Amino acid sequence: MCGIIGYIGKKNASKIIIESLQRLEYRGYDSAGLATLDGKDLYLCREVGDLQNLINTIQEFPVKGSLGIGHTRWATHGEPSKINAHPHTGRRDQVAIVHNGIIENYEQLKEKLIGKGHKFKSETDSEVIAHLIEQYLDNGAQILEQAVLCALMDIKGTYAIAAVSKKEPNKIVAARCGSPLILGVGDNETFIASDTSAIIPYTRKIVFLEDFQVAVIDDQGFKISNINGSSVNYNITEIDWDVTAAQKKGYAHFMLKEIHEQPQMVKKILNEKLDFKNLDLKIDELIKIKSQILAAHQLIIQACGTSYHAAMIGEIIFEYFTNLHTDVEISSEFRYKHFIAEQGSLVISITQSGETADTLVALKKAKQRGLNTFSLCNVVGSSIARESDSVFYIHAGPEIGVASTKAFTAQLFSLYLISIFLGALKKNIKPELKNSLIKDLTYIPSLMSRVFDVENYIARCADKYHEFRDFYFLGRGINYASALEGSLKLKEVSYIHSSAYPAGELKHGPIALVTENMVTVCIVPKSVTYDKMMSNIQEIKARKGKVIAIATEGDEQIKKYADDVIYIPEVQEIFSPLLVAIPLQLLAYYIALKRGCNVDKPRNLSKGIAVD
Ligand code: M6R
């Protein structure tokens, strides 16, 4: 998955492009590049690896022009290398393009073009787009727009592209199909980008392009049409994100900053959705689909990665608060599955980016089956948000760290609000219980803040355990999903092998690996399964395994068995994942730091996987 940017205005395009690429870097960091046009001169600069390499080259060899395109790459076809870096040019270097997506029929197209004398410079699927556009221009297409439209007719797959041509040095043509693309409307300047955060310092006026739409941008403004040439009505949305939200604000890493933002973020969600005086929830997003909800007898929650772990917790709390049969599905499996769903079932998609390809395709499949759809998204105007019957924005703010942290707890907190609201709507929970649950939720921000009291202790645990090569994470009930999330966080940022199990499964196989070389993180807050967890810990200790316990403040007994105890404040078991998440995130962060890993940009990863 990649990030793309385009700029037309009065300023130095390379400066704007590089600044924007810095905000898009989380989408991929295998290579970066840009192309600018100054009159008929096309400047192309590409570097492998970190964006800083491109910045260094541009500093040494500045490029001219107030129009340009840029790209940050997450490699799919072809290894990370300078030659595979975007922008790509056609055979005569007349046209340059940047692309995010996958061209599925690129091999057939490439073969045909080679037959016509084209020579390819890279191993990417994307380069074929530049050659096709140039071929159409050579074969009589009068303008770049026409050549791009013809090229898009030949292409199968997903794309967000931006193209420039030496022939029309004041124009960018951009289009999307299955990959995100937005247009930013500034004062005497226009931008295109993969997402809003890239251009938020320059403009808050955004047009969210739809699939099969093409934007032609020049120094006079822009026009948007459908790929078949018909005109399009579009809206300009005013975005209210705080510009500084996408900055590190003194923290060493975005991941650490985002972990620390969680108490304030949850407070903000409460302020948005709760009438404090009457302890009443205001969830218009559910009211909008009230009749469908009241008719539904089944919920299906689908998501990927960290969002899937939130979905697993969602399954438990929806069944608990609404008494509705709830299934949870991994989107990449769900989209291919023969599933049974009663007519009128509600499919809930959970996604930070709103662009995850598997989640989007599964959502479309559910719609084709005539099911009702609701989504929890962070990114405003994203594809999944727009595809759903109704969307609940989780208001986590921009999440830049590739490892998801605050989006996870924002998803969880939103799921608690939604399920309590739904439970009350369905008359499954009485008003007194609803009020007391909401009251408990109002304490969560301050309880979350208190977890940071043990941050230094967690950093010391990281010192002690960072050289171990194998970790287990165990939890029971609602905290089995927490264990999965803790294990994923550790893998992602520290590259340590880890797995998670429901603690009761330990004796059915995984215990075979427990030795003095295995660290097991046991999630053992006060709960109905506390005693069972204690037995599991003793089974591990009997085999000399190391145990880090996450336990409730005041639990002295656990100290007898665990090697280290990370305490969290006392909270009802049902809400405990909200607090448990933080020490797990901090542990992964500090272990990764000790191991010298690039926490914000873990190897091989990218944020929001918008490819299959
Ligand atoms: O944007 P989404 O929530 O749909 O993304 C889903 C996963 O790709 C994402 O949660 C991924 O697992 C993160 N790297 C987790 O830290």
Side-chain angles (χ1 to χ4, degrees):
M1 238 229 356
C2 310
I4 71 173
I5 174 77
Y7 172 77
I8 295 185
K10 306 258 177 273
K11 300 178 189 138
N12 180 290
S14 69
K15 183 173 175 286
I16 304 270
I17 289 169
I18 282 184
E19 285 171 5
S20 305
L21 288 179
Q22 282 172 322
R23 288 182 288 272
L24 284 177
E25 223 188 341
Y26 70 88
R27 300 178 69 90
Y29 28 85
D30 289 331
S31 62
L34 58 80
T36 60
L37 274 166
D38 183 39
K40 298 221 176 238
D41 293 331
L42 178 73
Y43 293 90
L44 187 67
C45 186
R46 305 178 297 179
E47 290 297 344
V48 72
D50 209 86
L51 180 61
Q52 191 56 45
N53 298 335
L54 180 71
I55 297 173
N56 296 344
T57 305
I58 294 283
Q59 268 164 4
E60 205 176 333
F61 306 102
V63 298
K64 290 190 192 157
S66 52
L67 173 157
I69 54 178
H71 188 270
T72 178
R73 179 169 187 247
W74 183 67
T76 58
H77 296 60
E79 61 174 9
S81 68
K82 190 164 172 170
I83 213 74
N84 288 332
H86 297 222
H88 291 291
T89 54
R91 77 165 140 182
R92 292 188 299 105
D93 294 334
Q94 295 295 302
V95 166
I97 64 103
V98 287
H99 168 229
N100 172 27
I102 289 182
I103 306 303
E104 286 162 9
N105 60 340
Y106 83 101
E107 278 176 340
Q108 296 94 297
L109 293 170
K110 194 168 168 177
E111 222 170 275
K112 271 194 203 159
L113 287 160
I114 289 171
K116 288 181 179 156
H118 287 248
K119 286 201 169 54
F120 280 77
K121 295 156 269 191
S122 77
E123 304 153 302
T124 65
D125 54 331
S126 310
E127 189 186 345
V128 81
I129 306 170
H131 285 256
L132 273 175
I133 296 173
E134 222 173 86
Q135 175 76 23
Y136 279 111
L137 282 171
D138 289 348
N139 283 359
Q142 297 298 309
I143 51 172
L144 178 63
E145 178 186 358
Q146 197 184 346
V148 170
L149 289 176
C150 292
L152 295 183
M153 294 297 175
D154 294 343
I155 284 168
K156 276 199 203 123
T158 55
Y159 56 79
I161 61 154
V164 294
S165 162
K166 282 185 185 179
K167 257 190 176 174
E168 289 169 89
N170 63 343
K171 195 176 275 180
I172 298 178
V173 178
R176 74 160 275 179
C177 168
S179 300
L181 194 63
I182 59 145
L183 199 137
V185 187
D187 291 336
N188 297 318
E189 52 187 6
T190 311
F191 306 80
I192 57 126
S194 295
D195 70 31
T196 313
S197 63
I199 56 171
I200 204 78
Y202 316 118
T203 180
R204 290 165 181 282
K205 292 186 186 142
I206 304 293
V207 180
F208 293 99
L209 293 179
E210 303 281 349
D211 278 352
F212 308 112
Q213 287 185 347
V214 179
V216 179
I217 309 151
D218 61 23
D219 41 16
Q220 303 302 308
F222 64 91
K223 72 164 189 160
I224 301 175
S225 58
N226 282 314
I227 200 168
N228 61 12
S230 59
S231 63
V232 157
N233 292 328
Y234 58 83
N235 293 321
I236 298 183
T237 306
E238 193 89 26
I239 299 291
D240 65 355
W241 278 6
D242 172 8
V243 179
T244 63
Q247 294 167 359
K248 284 193 202 147
K249 291 187 189 164
Y251 284 95
H253 297 97
F254 279 111
M255 183 179 177
L256 187 62
K257 174 193 162 226
E258 287 159 7
I259 293 172
H260 275 264
E261 277 173 352
Q262 293 175 103
Q264 276 308 317
M265 173 197 75
V266 165
K267 211 175 197 172
K268 201 170 151 216
I269 303 173
L270 267 176
N271 288 338
E272 183 90 12
K273 299 292 175 198
L274 179 64
D275 166 358
F276 280 84
K277 205 164 138 224
N278 301 309
L279 283 184
D280 221 6
L281 292 168
K282 310 169 281 183
I283 307 192
D284 297 341
E285 300 86 340
L286 287 177
I287 295 298
K288 193 176 155 198
I289 51 166
K290 188 174 169 189
S291 56
Q292 291 99 306
I293 287 175
L294 288 174
H297 296 294
Q298 184 190 2
L299 303 176
I300 301 171
I301 318 180
Q302 61 112 5
C304 298
T306 288
S307 299
Y308 172 70
H309 299 150
M312 288 176 73
I313 292 171
E315 180 194 21
I316 294 176
I317 62 180
F318 273 109
E319 293 206 329
Y320 189 74
F321 292 131
T322 70
N323 211 25
L324 281 173
H325 175 86
T326 307
D327 290 315
V328 61
E329 301 278 358
I330 294 177
S331 309
S332 54
E333 294 294 316
F334 185 52
R335 61 182 280 193
Y336 299 110
K337 189 174 160 180
H338 167 76
F339 66 94
I340 298 175
E342 282 181 38
Q343 211 47 34
S345 296
L346 182 69
V347 175
I348 303 176
S349 307
I350 305 182
T351 168
Q352 188 284 129
S353 62
E355 301 294 345
T356 299
D358 287 319
T359 313
L360 179 60
V361 175
L363 162 64
K364 287 182 178 166
K365 180 175 166 182
K367 282 179 79 174
Q368 277 160 12
R369 285 273 298 265
L371 304 178
N372 299 311
T373 58
F374 179 67
S375 65
L376 276 78
C377 292
N378 191 32
V379 177
V380 176
S382 54
S383 302
I384 291 171
R386 283 178 295 134
E387 194 69 36
S388 309
D389 296 335
S390 184
V391 54
F392 182 105
Y393 286 113
I394 59 169
H395 292 294
E399 189 181 63
I400 309 293
V402 166
S404 186
T405 52
K406 64 174 179 172
F408 176 64
T409 44
Q411 288 165 345
L412 290 187
F413 200 76
S414 305
L415 286 167
Y416 285 110
L417 298 180
I418 292 166
S419 56
I420 292 169
F421 184 84
L422 210 58
L425 204 66
K426 289 252 179 203
K427 304 209 177 343
N428 191 55
I429 47 178
K430 298 212 165 66
E432 311 81 68
L433 177 60
K434 185 189 94 177
N435 286 0
S436 99
L437 290 167
I438 293 175
K439 206 162 191 184
D440 286 345
L441 284 175
T442 63
Y443 298 131
I444 294 292
S446 66
L447 295 177
M448 277 181 150
S449 296
R450 277 183 41 209
V451 177
F452 291 95
D453 295 349
V454 292
E455 183 168 356
N456 289 339
Y457 179 75
I458 295 173
R460 286 202 296 280
C461 285
D463 278 357
K464 189 165 157 189
Y465 296 108
H466 72 277
E467 280 174 338
F468 280 76
R469 292 163 60 109
D470 292 291
F471 272 63
Y472 274 164
F473 286 75
L474 301 182
R476 281 174 182 259
I478 201 160
N479 280 309
Y480 165 46
S482 303
L484 283 167
E485 177 56 12
S487 171
L488 178 66
K489 284 290 88 77
L490 186 72
K491 269 196 278 267
E492 279 186 299
V493 297
S494 76
Y495 316 141
I496 294 178
H497 168 256
S498 77
S499 344
Y501 296 96
E505 279 294 289
L506 190 67
K507 57 187 174 294
H508 297 290
I511 200 163
L513 298 190
V514 173
T515 65
E516 68 276 20
N517 297 320
M518 169 74 78
V519 183
T520 303
V521 179
C522 295
I523 303 171
V524 54
K526 282 281 175 328
S527 69
V528 287
T529 52
Y530 176 83
D531 292 337
K532 299 280 176 207
M533 280 299 301
M534 289 299 280
S535 305
N536 296 135
I537 290 173
Q538 287 172 64
E539 287 154 16
I540 296 165
K541 289 312 301 171
R543 285 150 185 95
K544 300 193 168 37
K546 307 281 182 292
V547 170
I548 303 175
I550 298 182
T552 306
E553 275 170 6
D555 179 355
E556 291 299 317
Q557 187 194 355
I558 192 128
K559 282 189 182 159
K560 278 198 263 166
Y561 306 108
D563 296 274
D564 287 277
V565 183
I566 300 170
Y567 283 113
I568 56 168
E570 186 161 2
V571 68
Q572 275 200 61
E573 183 182 0
I574 192 93
F575 296 132
S576 59
L578 286 165
L579 302 191
V580 163
I582 298 174
L584 292 173
Q585 295 164 350
L586 287 170
L587 189 64
Y589 172 79
Y590 282 107
I591 288 179
L593 205 63
K594 268 315 273 183
R595 291 167 67 88
C597 301
N598 188 345
V599 267
D600 280 340
K601 290 186 255 168
R603 76 177 173 219
N604 304 341
L605 296 181
S606 142
K607 204 161 180 71
I609 307 292
V611 292
D612 284 345

